[in-house]
Amino acid sequence: MRGAPPAGIVVRGTRASDFGEIVEICGEVYPESLPWSERQLASHLEVFPEGQFVAVENERGRIVGMAASLIVLWDDYEMAATWRDFTDHGMFTNHDPVRGRTLYAAEVMVRPLFQGKRVGTRLYEARGELAQRLGLLRIRAGARLRGYHRYADRMTAEEYAIAVHRQEIFDPTVSFQLRRGFRILAVVEGYLRHDPESLGYAAVIEWLNQQVARPEDARGHDPRFD
């Protein structure tokens, strides 16, 4: 259910004029990684403009968050596929709206100063509304295990994800997504190979569109996450 939006924040479709600020946000959120290129962002708008969102601070007109998505035929991929596989190296040219029933959540970012202010929640709500409007079965994503580097010396990535699922450990990314109605299907390695926080590990997560989902659509996940 949609809640009240953060004061002074609106979510709208991404425009080409937003690219510079999106690249700026990348530098704030992922200082050790290459940012989205304007070529990649332009490709997203070309192949699937409806799937690209930004959160804008009304008072200044500043972009404070973004979300990028594409539609995939999940059966074309292995569960352990990497971010590069699911996004065609960040270009989204594998977007398949004819056969696909899965909205693949390739990215959500919020400026650090605006984290914890429901900006991410509104971006997720916009994405969920898109999936419902298009009649898609689900949203899936690779959620990087952002806090795993603090526990890697004493537990496996799978053990960490189970502890997050049981609310024994708080993970800044996955715990947020679990509260948004996602569930963990599996844990994969090498998803973002050079990410120092997750050490490359991600949880494959899923949100089902209850408007179209059948009971059998809820199967196929690791039973340790029941």
Side-chain angles (χ1 to χ4, degrees):
M1 181 180 297
R2 172 181 273 190
I9 301 292
V10 296
V11 173
R12 61 162 171 79
T14 301
R15 304 167 184 161
S17 57
D18 301 328
F19 293 170
E21 286 188 86
I22 290 173
V23 172
E24 182 181 284
I25 295 171
C26 288
E28 295 180 12
V29 175
Y30 304 119
E32 299 182 18
S33 301
L34 288 175
W36 288 103
S37 70
E38 294 202 4
R39 178 169 171 263
Q40 289 171 322
L41 296 170
S43 181
H44 303 173
L45 283 189
E46 181 179 353
V47 301
F48 189 33
E50 300 94 334
Q52 321 312 319
F53 299 102
V54 290
V56 183
E57 183 186 24
N58 266 342
E59 183 176 346
R60 299 184 184 180
R62 179 171 57 161
I63 295 171
V64 298
M66 65 84 76
S69 310
L70 66 152
I71 297 172
V72 299
L73 176 64
W74 189 264
D75 291 346
D76 284 348
Y77 304 89
E78 300 290 337
M79 184 71 79
T82 68
W83 180 88
R84 291 186 176 209
D85 297 325
F86 281 115
T87 67
D88 194 14
H89 297 265
M91 295 296 291
F92 293 8
T93 43
N94 55 325
H95 174 61
D96 190 349
V98 176
R99 300 184 304 152
R101 298 189 69 206
T102 300
L103 187 68
Y104 189 76
E107 181 72 273
V108 168
M109 294 187 298
V110 176
R111 287 187 190 271
L113 287 176
F114 286 81
Q115 292 175 9
K117 298 183 178 181
R118 300 193 69 252
V119 176
T121 297
R122 280 295 291 114
L123 289 165
Y124 271 80
E125 288 171 346
R127 189 179 264 164
E129 290 166 5
L130 174 67
Q132 291 176 329
R133 186 167 70 252
L134 297 179
L136 299 176
L137 172 61
R138 61 199 172 195
I139 301 172
R140 283 186 174 178
R144 65 191 187 107
L145 301 181
R146 186 172 159 193
Y148 179 55
H149 63 285
R150 300 190 183 95
Y151 296 84
D153 61 341
R154 53 191 184 276
M155 62 175 64
T156 66
E158 288 81 4
E159 290 168 340
Y160 175 84
I162 291 169
V164 172
H165 164 74
R166 294 174 177 170
Q167 300 183 34
E168 297 167 355
I169 292 175
F170 174 81
D171 181 89
T173 296
V174 180
S175 297
F176 169 84
Q177 290 160 327
L178 295 177
R179 291 198 299 267
R180 305 280 79 74
F182 283 81
R183 62 177 183 150
I184 298 174
L185 302 180
V187 174
V188 298
E189 62 178 322
Y191 181 75
L192 289 172
R193 289 172 294 176
H194 305 297
D195 178 28
E197 294 181 310
S198 69
L199 306 183
Y201 288 95
V204 180
I205 59 171
E206 175 183 72
W207 172 90
L208 285 174
N209 178 4
Q210 296 303 325
Q211 294 179 355
V212 299
R214 301 165 299 176
E216 56 265 35
D217 293 322
R219 300 171 189 160
H221 66 287
D222 188 323
R224 293 178 296 176
F225 298 108
D226 283 331

